[in-house]
Amino acid sequence: MTAGVCGLALAATLTAPAQAHDQGSGGGKTPHWELKDSGTDVRFRGLSAVSRNTAWLAGSKGTVLRTADGGRNWRNVSPPGAAELEFRDIEAFDGRRAVVLAIGEGEASRVFRTEDGGATWTESFRNTDAKAFYDCITFFDSRHGLAMSDPVDGKFRILSTRDGGRSWKVLPSAGMPAAQTGEAGFAASGQCLVSSGPRDVWLATGGAARARVLHSSDRGLTWTATDTPIPAGDPARGVFAVAFRDRTHGIAVGGDYRADQASPQAAATSRDGGRTWTTAGTPPPAYRSGVTWLPHSRTSALAVGPTGTDLTTDGGRTWRTLETGSYDTVDCTPDRACWASGEKGRVARLER
């Protein structure tokens, strides 16, 4: 089965008429999130899915977990002495190599790296600028990656690595547009900074008059900023996550994270690499913090948030709700597995 046919088959399964989740060996099954027991109650906003069997979680209280058996067992591989840190993003290359980001003001923002499945960790970056607050990281390949901080002296700050996260340096800010008053990234799902291909990267913002997506085609040296139709004008509103299936086709999700506030126009799409954005005709019904394209699909994606999971099969133009469970972030893998994680230790794998 080709990659494209695999993606179509998965999307078709997701949109099939609902049946009982499990009707016995002879019954059908509808696609649903199957919860896995993480053995903890921390909130996992950081998720990196490697395959159907292997996934990494990063969360509060300095917690990092790893599974190698599809979520049946989770090993606590947290860096020693990290209990006071808030891990919000993790990027794993395989079952042994991963880079995790801790967020916060000043020295609370740190990066750790492991090469042995979390048995040992090396702290490869500690922020020393009291004005910086790092939110997200992304990797183009196993060597080249970026991390982003909220604006420092009026511009978003970009950190770069060329050796897989072993060392980092701040990139020059000359190619970064000025930030709006109050503009920042949301460290809600590890998806406020995402890449596609060897050089393209996008940065999602909120908290200001306009919710924007910034794009760089040279690994973070120069950027262009574009307004999106996702509601802004308040510190709680904006673009919380973006996903690009290639350097052209993207989806942005967000809204207002406050539970008592509506989030109309909570999703938008781009077909030109983020230069322009169009509001979804039928958006998710509420704020969404995470989004990912289904593997090998040109038209299907999942979005998640505290009130549910939504599916699009037309490139983000229309969405429908699959489930109402709470998740913060979502990630899919080349072997057609999708994972989600969130509050109270919740982690699940999509089962069909």
Side-chain angles (χ1 to χ4, degrees):
M1 186 179 290
T2 66
V5 174
C6 285
L8 289 172
L10 177 56
T13 304
L14 285 169
T15 54
Q19 296 171 303
H21 277 188
D22 194 336
Q23 300 174 345
S25 59
K29 294 181 179 180
T30 187
H32 63 284
W33 289 118
E34 182 176 285
L35 285 167
K36 309 293 183 179
D37 184 6
S38 69
T40 181
D41 63 353
V42 307
R43 188 166 198 163
F44 291 114
R45 293 184 183 270
L47 164 67
S48 188
V50 176
S51 68
R52 181 169 178 79
N53 290 323
T54 302
W56 297 69
L57 301 171
S60 54
K61 302 177 183 178
T63 306
V64 178
L65 304 185
R66 178 178 59 84
T67 183
D69 58 10
R72 287 188 296 274
N73 297 282
W74 293 89
R75 176 171 294 181
N76 188 328
V77 294
S78 306
E84 300 301 316
L85 299 178
E86 285 286 324
F87 289 138
R88 293 292 181 91
D89 198 358
I90 185 166
E91 300 292 330
F93 308 115
D94 49 42
R96 298 184 62 79
R97 298 175 297 158
V99 178
V100 63
L101 172 73
I103 69 157
E105 297 178 350
E107 293 193 358
S109 284
R110 306 180 195 181
V111 177
F112 297 82
R113 186 182 190 276
T114 183
E115 297 182 1
D116 54 15
T120 61
W121 293 86
T122 301
E123 181 182 308
S124 59
F125 172 76
R126 182 180 298 203
N127 174 49
T128 57
D129 190 331
K131 295 177 288 186
F133 186 117
Y134 285 85
D135 299 295
C136 292
I137 58 174
T138 189
F139 276 83
F140 303 96
D141 52 45
S142 62
R143 295 175 53 220
H144 300 89
L146 302 176
M148 58 82 68
S149 164
D150 290 338
V152 176
D153 299 328
K155 293 184 176 182
F156 284 95
R157 175 169 287 180
I158 303 297
L159 199 64
S160 174
T161 180
R162 296 182 179 181
D163 54 14
R166 294 179 181 87
S167 63
W168 299 83
K169 70 172 185 177
V170 175
L171 292 183
S173 63
M176 177 66 71
Q180 304 172 84
T181 301
E183 193 172 24
F186 290 110
S189 60
Q191 295 174 333
C192 60
L193 184 73
V194 303
S195 56
S196 181
R199 304 187 69 81
D200 287 273
V201 59
W202 295 264
L203 189 163
T205 83
R210 301 179 308 279
R212 304 195 297 176
V213 172
L214 282 66
H215 170 240
S216 170
S217 59
D218 56 11
R219 291 184 180 164
L221 291 176
T222 59
W223 298 79
T224 56
T226 301
D227 295 349
T228 74
I230 291 178
D234 186 277
R237 298 177 189 155
V239 180
F240 281 72
V242 289
F244 276 79
R245 67 171 173 81
D246 52 38
R247 68 190 309 264
T248 305
H249 298 85
I251 295 174
V253 300
D256 190 319
Y257 69 73
R258 295 170 295 191
D260 61 343
Q261 297 294 313
S263 289
Q265 301 176 308
T269 63
S270 176
R271 296 183 179 182
D272 55 13
R275 287 192 293 273
T276 60
W277 292 87
T278 303
T279 304
T282 304
Y287 154 72
R288 294 295 180 252
S289 56
V291 63
T292 189
W293 290 90
L294 291 183
H296 313 302
S297 173
R298 299 176 62 83
T299 57
S300 300
L302 292 169
V304 300
T307 63
T309 298
D310 306 296
L311 169 73
T312 178
T313 56
D314 57 12
R317 292 189 294 274
T318 62
W319 296 82
R320 72 175 182 89
T321 300
L322 290 179
E323 292 193 8
T324 56
S326 174
Y327 296 101
D328 292 317
T329 190
V330 60
D331 193 20
C332 295
T333 67
D335 64 353
R336 301 177 63 220
C338 293
W339 295 78
S341 64
E343 63 181 351
K344 299 177 181 177
R346 284 171 62 90
V347 58
R349 190 179 66 185
L350 195 69
E351 301 294 344
R352 298 176 294 280

